[in-house]
Amino acid sequence: MANIVEFSNDRHRMAVIGLWKEVFGYQTAHNAPSLAIDKKLAVADGLFFVALAGTEVIGTVLAGYDGHRGWLYSVAVHPAHRRHGVGAALVRRAEHALVAAGCVKINLQIIESNEGVTPFYEALGYITEPRISMGKKIDSNVPPPV
Ligand SMILES: CC(C)(COP(=O)(O)OP(=O)(O)OC[C@H]1O[C@@H](n2cnc3c(N)ncnc32)[C@H](O)[C@@H]1OP(=O)(O)O)[C@@H](O)C(=O)NCCC(=O)NCCS
């Protein structure tokens, strides 16, 4: 079984960047893995976890708590390690930290084209809610590509 630990920039950064590129493959600048990691570390809330098999990073979850809702992001397990409970363990770890922070409700978003992942979250007690998700990019906070 995987060991779930807090993300360490020294030990896990390169592996997490590689995993996210493989699993999510985001092409947009605001989703660049290195930017996401730097922004999360700047908040220093202790809500970024990795799953380890030995010392190998095989999964991630990034959570957030704003005092009103908890959020889950970047739930990812390396394809070679799926269906062994790693994803569930990551979500449970993040939930534990959010509950400890006083959070009363946890939300997450699923990209429409990734609807097939809903049974994973349903197995963990999440339900689909009737919401329209909206967002706005703040380009001035996204560094230009190097
Ligand atoms: C979603 C993901 C994190 C699941 O990780 P995982 O380690 O394979 O999940 P688990 O083994 O903990 O699964 C727990 C339960 O969820 C359900 N489940 C998991 N993956 C599923 C799938 N592809 N289809 C249907 N049910 C699934 C099953 O009930 C499973 O229990 P079981 O294996 O005993 O049947 C992984 O498939 C992944 O990284 N997907 C790509 C990234 C992604 O879509 N992330 C979510 C973004 S919102």
PDB file of all heavy atoms in Angstrom, residues 6-9 13 16 20 30 32-49 61-66 69-74 94 97-98:
ATOM      1  N   GLU A   6       3.143  14.526   3.060  1.00  0.00           N
ATOM      2  CA  GLU A   6       3.071  15.894   2.544  1.00  0.00           C
ATOM      3  C   GLU A   6       4.106  16.094   1.445  1.00  0.00           C
ATOM      4  O   GLU A   6       5.217  15.547   1.523  1.00  0.00           O
ATOM      5  CB  GLU A   6       3.318  16.883   3.697  1.00  0.00           C
ATOM      6  CG  GLU A   6       2.204  17.895   3.855  1.00  0.00           C
ATOM      7  CD  GLU A   6       2.502  18.913   4.927  1.00  0.00           C
ATOM      8  OE1 GLU A   6       3.123  19.941   4.610  1.00  0.00           O
ATOM      9  OE2 GLU A   6       2.118  18.655   6.085  1.00  0.00           O
ATOM     10  N   PHE A   7       3.753  16.862   0.452  1.00  0.00           N
ATOM     11  CA  PHE A   7       4.657  17.161  -0.660  1.00  0.00           C
ATOM     12  C   PHE A   7       5.923  17.844  -0.145  1.00  0.00           C
ATOM     13  O   PHE A   7       5.870  18.750   0.690  1.00  0.00           O
ATOM     14  CB  PHE A   7       3.948  18.088  -1.654  1.00  0.00           C
ATOM     15  CG  PHE A   7       4.840  18.616  -2.739  1.00  0.00           C
ATOM     16  CD1 PHE A   7       5.089  17.875  -3.872  1.00  0.00           C
ATOM     17  CD2 PHE A   7       5.431  19.877  -2.603  1.00  0.00           C
ATOM     18  CE1 PHE A   7       5.913  18.365  -4.875  1.00  0.00           C
ATOM     19  CE2 PHE A   7       6.249  20.382  -3.602  1.00  0.00           C
ATOM     20  CZ  PHE A   7       6.493  19.625  -4.738  1.00  0.00           C
ATOM     21  N   SER A   8       7.072  17.402  -0.652  1.00  0.00           N
ATOM     22  CA  SER A   8       8.358  18.058  -0.381  1.00  0.00           C
ATOM     23  C   SER A   8       8.912  18.572  -1.699  1.00  0.00           C
ATOM     24  O   SER A   8       9.107  17.790  -2.634  1.00  0.00           O
ATOM     25  CB  SER A   8       9.337  17.057   0.249  1.00  0.00           C
ATOM     26  OG  SER A   8      10.676  17.473   0.020  1.00  0.00           O
ATOM     27  N   ASN A   9       9.162  19.874  -1.749  1.00  0.00           N
ATOM     28  CA  ASN A   9       9.677  20.441  -2.995  1.00  0.00           C
ATOM     29  C   ASN A   9      11.022  19.820  -3.368  1.00  0.00           C
ATOM     30  O   ASN A   9      11.288  19.558  -4.543  1.00  0.00           O
ATOM     31  CB  ASN A   9       9.805  21.956  -2.850  1.00  0.00           C
ATOM     32  CG  ASN A   9       9.836  22.647  -4.189  1.00  0.00           C
ATOM     33  OD1 ASN A   9       9.080  22.296  -5.098  1.00  0.00           O
ATOM     34  ND2 ASN A   9      10.724  23.609  -4.342  1.00  0.00           N
ATOM     35  N   ARG A  13       9.286  17.318  -6.322  1.00  0.00           N
ATOM     36  CA  ARG A  13       8.890  18.279  -7.362  1.00  0.00           C
ATOM     37  C   ARG A  13       8.983  17.709  -8.789  1.00  0.00           C
ATOM     38  O   ARG A  13       8.012  17.761  -9.548  1.00  0.00           O
ATOM     39  CB  ARG A  13       9.750  19.545  -7.261  1.00  0.00           C
ATOM     40  CG  ARG A  13       9.323  20.625  -8.236  1.00  0.00           C
ATOM     41  CD  ARG A  13      10.253  21.832  -8.201  1.00  0.00           C
ATOM     42  NE  ARG A  13       9.783  22.875  -9.090  1.00  0.00           N
ATOM     43  CZ  ARG A  13       8.959  23.862  -8.743  1.00  0.00           C
ATOM     44  NH1 ARG A  13       8.538  23.957  -7.496  1.00  0.00           N
ATOM     45  NH2 ARG A  13       8.562  24.752  -9.616  1.00  0.00           N
ATOM     46  N   VAL A  16       6.434  14.961  -9.524  1.00  0.00           N
ATOM     47  CA  VAL A  16       5.048  15.447  -9.615  1.00  0.00           C
ATOM     48  C   VAL A  16       4.829  16.146 -10.957  1.00  0.00           C
ATOM     49  O   VAL A  16       3.805  15.951 -11.625  1.00  0.00           O
ATOM     50  CB  VAL A  16       4.715  16.378  -8.426  1.00  0.00           C
ATOM     51  CG1 VAL A  16       3.395  17.110  -8.669  1.00  0.00           C
ATOM     52  CG2 VAL A  16       4.648  15.573  -7.128  1.00  0.00           C
ATOM     53  N   TRP A  20       1.985  14.862 -13.540  1.00  0.00           N
ATOM     54  CA  TRP A  20       0.890  15.724 -14.012  1.00  0.00           C
ATOM     55  C   TRP A  20       0.940  15.897 -15.523  1.00  0.00           C
ATOM     56  O   TRP A  20      -0.102  15.950 -16.175  1.00  0.00           O
ATOM     57  CB  TRP A  20       0.946  17.076 -13.308  1.00  0.00           C
ATOM     58  CG  TRP A  20       0.483  17.023 -11.877  1.00  0.00           C
ATOM     59  CD1 TRP A  20      -0.061  15.950 -11.229  1.00  0.00           C
ATOM     60  CD2 TRP A  20       0.533  18.087 -10.921  1.00  0.00           C
ATOM     61  NE1 TRP A  20      -0.347  16.280  -9.927  1.00  0.00           N
ATOM     62  CE2 TRP A  20       0.008  17.577  -9.709  1.00  0.00           C
ATOM     63  CE3 TRP A  20       0.977  19.392 -10.947  1.00  0.00           C
ATOM     64  CZ2 TRP A  20      -0.098  18.362  -8.553  1.00  0.00           C
ATOM     65  CZ3 TRP A  20       0.871  20.174  -9.805  1.00  0.00           C
ATOM     66  CH2 TRP A  20       0.341  19.659  -8.623  1.00  0.00           C
ATOM     67  N   HIS A  30      -1.670  28.807 -17.337  1.00  0.00           N
ATOM     68  CA  HIS A  30      -2.055  28.934 -15.928  1.00  0.00           C
ATOM     69  C   HIS A  30      -2.106  27.573 -15.233  1.00  0.00           C
ATOM     70  O   HIS A  30      -2.154  27.509 -14.009  1.00  0.00           O
ATOM     71  CB  HIS A  30      -3.389  29.677 -15.779  1.00  0.00           C
ATOM     72  CG  HIS A  30      -4.579  28.898 -16.225  1.00  0.00           C
ATOM     73  ND1 HIS A  30      -4.931  28.776 -17.546  1.00  0.00           N
ATOM     74  CD2 HIS A  30      -5.499  28.184 -15.530  1.00  0.00           C
ATOM     75  CE1 HIS A  30      -6.014  28.031 -17.649  1.00  0.00           C
ATOM     76  NE2 HIS A  30      -6.382  27.648 -16.439  1.00  0.00           N
ATOM     77  N   ALA A  32       0.309  25.245 -15.812  1.00  0.00           N
ATOM     78  CA  ALA A  32       1.669  24.684 -15.861  1.00  0.00           C
ATOM     79  C   ALA A  32       2.015  24.089 -14.495  1.00  0.00           C
ATOM     80  O   ALA A  32       1.853  24.760 -13.470  1.00  0.00           O
ATOM     81  CB  ALA A  32       2.672  25.757 -16.242  1.00  0.00           C
ATOM     82  N   PRO A  33       2.475  22.820 -14.453  1.00  0.00           N
ATOM     83  CA  PRO A  33       2.738  22.182 -13.156  1.00  0.00           C
ATOM     84  C   PRO A  33       3.681  22.977 -12.252  1.00  0.00           C
ATOM     85  O   PRO A  33       3.418  23.103 -11.050  1.00  0.00           O
ATOM     86  CB  PRO A  33       3.365  20.837 -13.560  1.00  0.00           C
ATOM     87  CG  PRO A  33       2.767  20.532 -14.889  1.00  0.00           C
ATOM     88  CD  PRO A  33       2.633  21.877 -15.577  1.00  0.00           C
ATOM     89  N   SER A  34       4.747  23.528 -12.810  1.00  0.00           N
ATOM     90  CA  SER A  34       5.698  24.243 -11.953  1.00  0.00           C
ATOM     91  C   SER A  34       5.050  25.483 -11.340  1.00  0.00           C
ATOM     92  O   SER A  34       5.300  25.813 -10.165  1.00  0.00           O
ATOM     93  CB  SER A  34       6.961  24.616 -12.733  1.00  0.00           C
ATOM     94  OG  SER A  34       6.606  25.383 -13.854  1.00  0.00           O
ATOM     95  N   LEU A  35       4.195  26.152 -12.092  1.00  0.00           N
ATOM     96  CA  LEU A  35       3.497  27.326 -11.558  1.00  0.00           C
ATOM     97  C   LEU A  35       2.522  26.893 -10.459  1.00  0.00           C
ATOM     98  O   LEU A  35       2.458  27.511  -9.388  1.00  0.00           O
ATOM     99  CB  LEU A  35       2.739  28.042 -12.681  1.00  0.00           C
ATOM    100  CG  LEU A  35       1.923  29.258 -12.259  1.00  0.00           C
ATOM    101  CD1 LEU A  35       2.842  30.389 -11.800  1.00  0.00           C
ATOM    102  CD2 LEU A  35       1.032  29.747 -13.400  1.00  0.00           C
ATOM    103  N   ALA A  36       1.787  25.813 -10.719  1.00  0.00           N
ATOM    104  CA  ALA A  36       0.829  25.327  -9.714  1.00  0.00           C
ATOM    105  C   ALA A  36       1.542  24.967  -8.415  1.00  0.00           C
ATOM    106  O   ALA A  36       1.060  25.278  -7.319  1.00  0.00           O
ATOM    107  CB  ALA A  36       0.076  24.118 -10.273  1.00  0.00           C
ATOM    108  N   ILE A  37       2.688  24.317  -8.537  1.00  0.00           N
ATOM    109  CA  ILE A  37       3.442  23.933  -7.332  1.00  0.00           C
ATOM    110  C   ILE A  37       3.933  25.173  -6.594  1.00  0.00           C
ATOM    111  O   ILE A  37       3.770  25.293  -5.369  1.00  0.00           O
ATOM    112  CB  ILE A  37       4.618  23.007  -7.704  1.00  0.00           C
ATOM    113  CG1 ILE A  37       4.091  21.652  -8.172  1.00  0.00           C
ATOM    114  CG2 ILE A  37       5.575  22.840  -6.522  1.00  0.00           C
ATOM    115  CD1 ILE A  37       5.154  20.740  -8.770  1.00  0.00           C
ATOM    116  N   ASP A  38       4.517  26.121  -7.324  1.00  0.00           N
ATOM    117  CA  ASP A  38       5.039  27.327  -6.672  1.00  0.00           C
ATOM    118  C   ASP A  38       3.921  28.114  -5.984  1.00  0.00           C
ATOM    119  O   ASP A  38       4.101  28.597  -4.856  1.00  0.00           O
ATOM    120  CB  ASP A  38       5.747  28.216  -7.700  1.00  0.00           C
ATOM    121  CG  ASP A  38       7.064  27.614  -8.164  1.00  0.00           C
ATOM    122  OD1 ASP A  38       7.572  26.700  -7.485  1.00  0.00           O
ATOM    123  OD2 ASP A  38       7.568  28.053  -9.217  1.00  0.00           O
ATOM    124  N   LYS A  39       2.779  28.231  -6.646  1.00  0.00           N
ATOM    125  CA  LYS A  39       1.662  28.970  -6.050  1.00  0.00           C
ATOM    126  C   LYS A  39       1.144  28.267  -4.800  1.00  0.00           C
ATOM    127  O   LYS A  39       0.794  28.899  -3.803  1.00  0.00           O
ATOM    128  CB  LYS A  39       0.513  29.117  -7.068  1.00  0.00           C
ATOM    129  CG  LYS A  39       0.832  29.986  -8.276  1.00  0.00           C
ATOM    130  CD  LYS A  39       0.759  31.451  -7.911  1.00  0.00           C
ATOM    131  CE  LYS A  39       0.913  32.329  -9.147  1.00  0.00           C
ATOM    132  NZ  LYS A  39       1.119  33.755  -8.784  1.00  0.00           N
ATOM    133  N   LYS A  40       1.091  26.933  -4.853  1.00  0.00           N
ATOM    134  CA  LYS A  40       0.599  26.191  -3.685  1.00  0.00           C
ATOM    135  C   LYS A  40       1.578  26.314  -2.515  1.00  0.00           C
ATOM    136  O   LYS A  40       1.165  26.513  -1.366  1.00  0.00           O
ATOM    137  CB  LYS A  40       0.402  24.709  -4.055  1.00  0.00           C
ATOM    138  CG  LYS A  40      -0.277  23.894  -2.972  1.00  0.00           C
ATOM    139  CD  LYS A  40      -1.643  24.462  -2.645  1.00  0.00           C
ATOM    140  CE  LYS A  40      -2.384  23.629  -1.606  1.00  0.00           C
ATOM    141  NZ  LYS A  40      -3.593  24.333  -1.126  1.00  0.00           N
ATOM    142  N   LEU A  41       2.864  26.201  -2.806  1.00  0.00           N
ATOM    143  CA  LEU A  41       3.859  26.313  -1.737  1.00  0.00           C
ATOM    144  C   LEU A  41       3.833  27.706  -1.113  1.00  0.00           C
ATOM    145  O   LEU A  41       4.073  27.857   0.088  1.00  0.00           O
ATOM    146  CB  LEU A  41       5.254  25.998  -2.279  1.00  0.00           C
ATOM    147  CG  LEU A  41       5.470  24.541  -2.704  1.00  0.00           C
ATOM    148  CD1 LEU A  41       6.885  24.349  -3.236  1.00  0.00           C
ATOM    149  CD2 LEU A  41       5.190  23.577  -1.557  1.00  0.00           C
ATOM    150  N   ALA A  42       3.516  28.722  -1.912  1.00  0.00           N
ATOM    151  CA  ALA A  42       3.475  30.095  -1.388  1.00  0.00           C
ATOM    152  C   ALA A  42       2.370  30.251  -0.346  1.00  0.00           C
ATOM    153  O   ALA A  42       2.483  31.052   0.578  1.00  0.00           O
ATOM    154  CB  ALA A  42       3.265  31.084  -2.534  1.00  0.00           C
ATOM    155  N   VAL A  43       1.305  29.456  -0.484  1.00  0.00           N
ATOM    156  CA  VAL A  43       0.205  29.511   0.491  1.00  0.00           C
ATOM    157  C   VAL A  43       0.582  28.777   1.786  1.00  0.00           C
ATOM    158  O   VAL A  43       0.106  29.122   2.864  1.00  0.00           O
ATOM    159  CB  VAL A  43      -1.081  28.920  -0.137  1.00  0.00           C
ATOM    160  CG1 VAL A  43      -2.212  28.846   0.870  1.00  0.00           C
ATOM    161  CG2 VAL A  43      -1.516  29.739  -1.344  1.00  0.00           C
ATOM    162  N   ALA A  44       1.441  27.759   1.665  1.00  0.00           N
ATOM    163  CA  ALA A  44       1.971  27.044   2.839  1.00  0.00           C
ATOM    164  C   ALA A  44       0.871  26.567   3.784  1.00  0.00           C
ATOM    165  O   ALA A  44       0.937  26.783   4.989  1.00  0.00           O
ATOM    166  CB  ALA A  44       2.980  27.925   3.590  1.00  0.00           C
ATOM    167  N   ASP A  45      -0.151  25.894   3.227  1.00  0.00           N
ATOM    168  CA  ASP A  45      -1.256  25.427   4.067  1.00  0.00           C
ATOM    169  C   ASP A  45      -1.158  23.943   4.423  1.00  0.00           C
ATOM    170  O   ASP A  45      -2.039  23.407   5.100  1.00  0.00           O
ATOM    171  CB  ASP A  45      -2.606  25.728   3.395  1.00  0.00           C
ATOM    172  CG  ASP A  45      -2.722  25.098   2.003  1.00  0.00           C
ATOM    173  OD1 ASP A  45      -1.828  24.324   1.618  1.00  0.00           O
ATOM    174  OD2 ASP A  45      -3.717  25.381   1.310  1.00  0.00           O
ATOM    175  N   GLY A  46      -0.107  23.273   3.949  1.00  0.00           N
ATOM    176  CA  GLY A  46       0.068  21.859   4.295  1.00  0.00           C
ATOM    177  C   GLY A  46      -0.992  20.958   3.691  1.00  0.00           C
ATOM    178  O   GLY A  46      -1.277  19.880   4.215  1.00  0.00           O
ATOM    179  N   LEU A  47      -1.592  21.371   2.569  1.00  0.00           N
ATOM    180  CA  LEU A  47      -2.695  20.595   1.973  1.00  0.00           C
ATOM    181  C   LEU A  47      -2.317  20.018   0.598  1.00  0.00           C
ATOM    182  O   LEU A  47      -3.156  19.909  -0.289  1.00  0.00           O
ATOM    183  CB  LEU A  47      -3.945  21.475   1.844  1.00  0.00           C
ATOM    184  CG  LEU A  47      -4.586  21.912   3.160  1.00  0.00           C
ATOM    185  CD1 LEU A  47      -5.736  22.883   2.904  1.00  0.00           C
ATOM    186  CD2 LEU A  47      -5.076  20.700   3.951  1.00  0.00           C
ATOM    187  N   PHE A  48      -1.088  19.645   0.460  1.00  0.00           N
ATOM    188  CA  PHE A  48      -0.591  19.078  -0.801  1.00  0.00           C
ATOM    189  C   PHE A  48       0.094  17.762  -0.438  1.00  0.00           C
ATOM    190  O   PHE A  48       1.065  17.746   0.318  1.00  0.00           O
ATOM    191  CB  PHE A  48       0.383  20.079  -1.424  1.00  0.00           C
ATOM    192  CG  PHE A  48       0.922  19.724  -2.786  1.00  0.00           C
ATOM    193  CD1 PHE A  48       0.479  18.632  -3.507  1.00  0.00           C
ATOM    194  CD2 PHE A  48       1.899  20.537  -3.359  1.00  0.00           C
ATOM    195  CE1 PHE A  48       0.990  18.342  -4.759  1.00  0.00           C
ATOM    196  CE2 PHE A  48       2.414  20.265  -4.612  1.00  0.00           C
ATOM    197  CZ  PHE A  48       1.960  19.164  -5.309  1.00  0.00           C
ATOM    198  N   PHE A  49      -0.454  16.666  -0.958  1.00  0.00           N
ATOM    199  CA  PHE A  49       0.032  15.341  -0.552  1.00  0.00           C
ATOM    200  C   PHE A  49       0.437  14.513  -1.771  1.00  0.00           C
ATOM    201  O   PHE A  49      -0.131  14.650  -2.860  1.00  0.00           O
ATOM    202  CB  PHE A  49      -1.048  14.586   0.220  1.00  0.00           C
ATOM    203  CG  PHE A  49      -1.540  15.320   1.435  1.00  0.00           C
ATOM    204  CD1 PHE A  49      -2.699  16.077   1.384  1.00  0.00           C
ATOM    205  CD2 PHE A  49      -0.820  15.274   2.627  1.00  0.00           C
ATOM    206  CE1 PHE A  49      -3.156  16.772   2.489  1.00  0.00           C
ATOM    207  CE2 PHE A  49      -1.264  15.961   3.750  1.00  0.00           C
ATOM    208  CZ  PHE A  49      -2.443  16.723   3.681  1.00  0.00           C
ATOM    209  N   VAL A  61      -2.585  14.634  -4.553  1.00  0.00           N
ATOM    210  CA  VAL A  61      -3.832  15.371  -4.332  1.00  0.00           C
ATOM    211  C   VAL A  61      -3.441  16.729  -3.767  1.00  0.00           C
ATOM    212  O   VAL A  61      -2.560  16.835  -2.925  1.00  0.00           O
ATOM    213  CB  VAL A  61      -4.819  14.646  -3.389  1.00  0.00           C
ATOM    214  CG1 VAL A  61      -4.222  14.417  -2.002  1.00  0.00           C
ATOM    215  CG2 VAL A  61      -6.121  15.417  -3.274  1.00  0.00           C
ATOM    216  N   LEU A  62      -4.104  17.733  -4.302  1.00  0.00           N
ATOM    217  CA  LEU A  62      -3.859  19.095  -3.840  1.00  0.00           C
ATOM    218  C   LEU A  62      -5.218  19.588  -3.325  1.00  0.00           C
ATOM    219  O   LEU A  62      -6.200  19.546  -4.052  1.00  0.00           O
ATOM    220  CB  LEU A  62      -3.376  19.889  -5.056  1.00  0.00           C
ATOM    221  CG  LEU A  62      -2.698  21.228  -4.887  1.00  0.00           C
ATOM    222  CD1 LEU A  62      -1.804  21.478  -6.081  1.00  0.00           C
ATOM    223  CD2 LEU A  62      -3.749  22.295  -4.785  1.00  0.00           C
ATOM    224  N   ALA A  63      -5.255  19.987  -2.075  1.00  0.00           N
ATOM    225  CA  ALA A  63      -6.517  20.445  -1.491  1.00  0.00           C
ATOM    226  C   ALA A  63      -6.411  21.916  -1.121  1.00  0.00           C
ATOM    227  O   ALA A  63      -5.310  22.475  -1.036  1.00  0.00           O
ATOM    228  CB  ALA A  63      -6.863  19.612  -0.259  1.00  0.00           C
ATOM    229  N   GLY A  64      -7.563  22.524  -0.929  1.00  0.00           N
ATOM    230  CA  GLY A  64      -7.575  23.916  -0.506  1.00  0.00           C
ATOM    231  C   GLY A  64      -8.744  24.149   0.437  1.00  0.00           C
ATOM    232  O   GLY A  64      -9.785  23.491   0.335  1.00  0.00           O
ATOM    233  N   TYR A  65      -8.576  25.067   1.389  1.00  0.00           N
ATOM    234  CA  TYR A  65      -9.662  25.427   2.300  1.00  0.00           C
ATOM    235  C   TYR A  65      -9.665  26.940   2.442  1.00  0.00           C
ATOM    236  O   TYR A  65      -8.658  27.541   2.819  1.00  0.00           O
ATOM    237  CB  TYR A  65      -9.475  24.762   3.667  1.00  0.00           C
ATOM    238  CG  TYR A  65     -10.579  25.103   4.645  1.00  0.00           C
ATOM    239  CD1 TYR A  65     -11.909  24.898   4.304  1.00  0.00           C
ATOM    240  CD2 TYR A  65     -10.291  25.641   5.900  1.00  0.00           C
ATOM    241  CE1 TYR A  65     -12.936  25.226   5.186  1.00  0.00           C
ATOM    242  CE2 TYR A  65     -11.309  25.956   6.797  1.00  0.00           C
ATOM    243  CZ  TYR A  65     -12.628  25.743   6.432  1.00  0.00           C
ATOM    244  OH  TYR A  65     -13.651  26.070   7.302  1.00  0.00           O
ATOM    245  N   ASP A  66     -10.807  27.551   2.117  1.00  0.00           N
ATOM    246  CA  ASP A  66     -10.883  29.016   2.129  1.00  0.00           C
ATOM    247  C   ASP A  66     -11.723  29.544   3.295  1.00  0.00           C
ATOM    248  O   ASP A  66     -12.101  30.707   3.319  1.00  0.00           O
ATOM    249  CB  ASP A  66     -11.421  29.524   0.788  1.00  0.00           C
ATOM    250  CG  ASP A  66     -12.792  28.924   0.447  1.00  0.00           C
ATOM    251  OD1 ASP A  66     -13.464  28.433   1.377  1.00  0.00           O
ATOM    252  OD2 ASP A  66     -13.183  28.946  -0.737  1.00  0.00           O
ATOM    253  N   ARG A  69     -15.495  26.485   2.040  1.00  0.00           N
ATOM    254  CA  ARG A  69     -15.525  25.158   1.436  1.00  0.00           C
ATOM    255  C   ARG A  69     -14.110  24.611   1.315  1.00  0.00           C
ATOM    256  O   ARG A  69     -13.151  25.374   1.167  1.00  0.00           O
ATOM    257  CB  ARG A  69     -16.129  25.211   0.015  1.00  0.00           C
ATOM    258  CG  ARG A  69     -17.594  25.609  -0.018  1.00  0.00           C
ATOM    259  CD  ARG A  69     -18.493  24.494   0.499  1.00  0.00           C
ATOM    260  NE  ARG A  69     -19.902  24.875   0.471  1.00  0.00           N
ATOM    261  CZ  ARG A  69     -20.617  25.249   1.530  1.00  0.00           C
ATOM    262  NH1 ARG A  69     -20.056  25.299   2.733  1.00  0.00           N
ATOM    263  NH2 ARG A  69     -21.894  25.549   1.408  1.00  0.00           N
ATOM    264  N   GLY A  70     -14.043  23.295   1.340  1.00  0.00           N
ATOM    265  CA  GLY A  70     -12.791  22.642   0.986  1.00  0.00           C
ATOM    266  C   GLY A  70     -12.868  22.230  -0.473  1.00  0.00           C
ATOM    267  O   GLY A  70     -13.967  21.964  -1.000  1.00  0.00           O
ATOM    268  N   TRP A  71     -11.741  22.197  -1.117  1.00  0.00           N
ATOM    269  CA  TRP A  71     -11.696  21.813  -2.529  1.00  0.00           C
ATOM    270  C   TRP A  71     -10.609  20.775  -2.757  1.00  0.00           C
ATOM    271  O   TRP A  71      -9.563  20.803  -2.103  1.00  0.00           O
ATOM    272  CB  TRP A  71     -11.399  23.043  -3.400  1.00  0.00           C
ATOM    273  CG  TRP A  71     -12.595  23.923  -3.581  1.00  0.00           C
ATOM    274  CD1 TRP A  71     -12.983  24.957  -2.758  1.00  0.00           C
ATOM    275  CD2 TRP A  71     -13.580  23.849  -4.624  1.00  0.00           C
ATOM    276  NE1 TRP A  71     -14.142  25.529  -3.229  1.00  0.00           N
ATOM    277  CE2 TRP A  71     -14.523  24.871  -4.379  1.00  0.00           C
ATOM    278  CE3 TRP A  71     -13.745  23.027  -5.733  1.00  0.00           C
ATOM    279  CZ2 TRP A  71     -15.631  25.088  -5.211  1.00  0.00           C
ATOM    280  CZ3 TRP A  71     -14.840  23.248  -6.570  1.00  0.00           C
ATOM    281  CH2 TRP A  71     -15.760  24.266  -6.303  1.00  0.00           C
ATOM    282  N   LEU A  72     -10.889  19.887  -3.691  1.00  0.00           N
ATOM    283  CA  LEU A  72      -9.883  18.907  -4.110  1.00  0.00           C
ATOM    284  C   LEU A  72      -9.475  19.199  -5.547  1.00  0.00           C
ATOM    285  O   LEU A  72     -10.334  19.466  -6.401  1.00  0.00           O
ATOM    286  CB  LEU A  72     -10.455  17.480  -4.055  1.00  0.00           C
ATOM    287  CG  LEU A  72     -10.934  16.964  -2.702  1.00  0.00           C
ATOM    288  CD1 LEU A  72     -11.438  15.525  -2.854  1.00  0.00           C
ATOM    289  CD2 LEU A  72      -9.819  17.034  -1.658  1.00  0.00           C
ATOM    290  N   TYR A  73      -8.197  19.134  -5.783  1.00  0.00           N
ATOM    291  CA  TYR A  73      -7.652  19.335  -7.121  1.00  0.00           C
ATOM    292  C   TYR A  73      -6.565  18.285  -7.379  1.00  0.00           C
ATOM    293  O   TYR A  73      -6.005  17.696  -6.447  1.00  0.00           O
ATOM    294  CB  TYR A  73      -6.961  20.710  -7.240  1.00  0.00           C
ATOM    295  CG  TYR A  73      -7.770  21.901  -6.818  1.00  0.00           C
ATOM    296  CD1 TYR A  73      -7.698  22.380  -5.515  1.00  0.00           C
ATOM    297  CD2 TYR A  73      -8.585  22.575  -7.723  1.00  0.00           C
ATOM    298  CE1 TYR A  73      -8.423  23.500  -5.117  1.00  0.00           C
ATOM    299  CE2 TYR A  73      -9.319  23.691  -7.334  1.00  0.00           C
ATOM    300  CZ  TYR A  73      -9.230  24.143  -6.032  1.00  0.00           C
ATOM    301  OH  TYR A  73      -9.948  25.243  -5.640  1.00  0.00           O
ATOM    302  N   SER A  74      -6.233  18.127  -8.645  1.00  0.00           N
ATOM    303  CA  SER A  74      -5.041  17.361  -9.048  1.00  0.00           C
ATOM    304  C   SER A  74      -4.986  15.970  -8.414  1.00  0.00           C
ATOM    305  O   SER A  74      -3.925  15.514  -7.978  1.00  0.00           O
ATOM    306  CB  SER A  74      -3.763  18.136  -8.712  1.00  0.00           C
ATOM    307  OG  SER A  74      -3.790  19.406  -9.313  1.00  0.00           O
ATOM    308  N   ALA A  94      -6.552  13.882   2.156  1.00  0.00           N
ATOM    309  CA  ALA A  94      -6.906  15.296   1.991  1.00  0.00           C
ATOM    310  C   ALA A  94      -8.156  15.623   2.799  1.00  0.00           C
ATOM    311  O   ALA A  94      -8.230  16.670   3.453  1.00  0.00           O
ATOM    312  CB  ALA A  94      -7.114  15.596   0.517  1.00  0.00           C
ATOM    313  N   ALA A  97      -7.388  16.148   6.438  1.00  0.00           N
ATOM    314  CA  ALA A  97      -6.770  17.445   6.718  1.00  0.00           C
ATOM    315  C   ALA A  97      -7.807  18.569   6.637  1.00  0.00           C
ATOM    316  O   ALA A  97      -7.785  19.503   7.444  1.00  0.00           O
ATOM    317  CB  ALA A  97      -5.633  17.699   5.720  1.00  0.00           C
ATOM    318  N   LEU A  98      -8.730  18.476   5.678  1.00  0.00           N
ATOM    319  CA  LEU A  98      -9.753  19.512   5.543  1.00  0.00           C
ATOM    320  C   LEU A  98     -10.717  19.481   6.727  1.00  0.00           C
ATOM    321  O   LEU A  98     -11.112  20.527   7.258  1.00  0.00           O
ATOM    322  CB  LEU A  98     -10.521  19.322   4.226  1.00  0.00           C
ATOM    323  CG  LEU A  98      -9.708  19.622   2.949  1.00  0.00           C
ATOM    324  CD1 LEU A  98     -10.462  19.160   1.710  1.00  0.00           C
ATOM    325  CD2 LEU A  98      -9.374  21.104   2.852  1.00  0.00           C
TER     326      LEU A  98
END
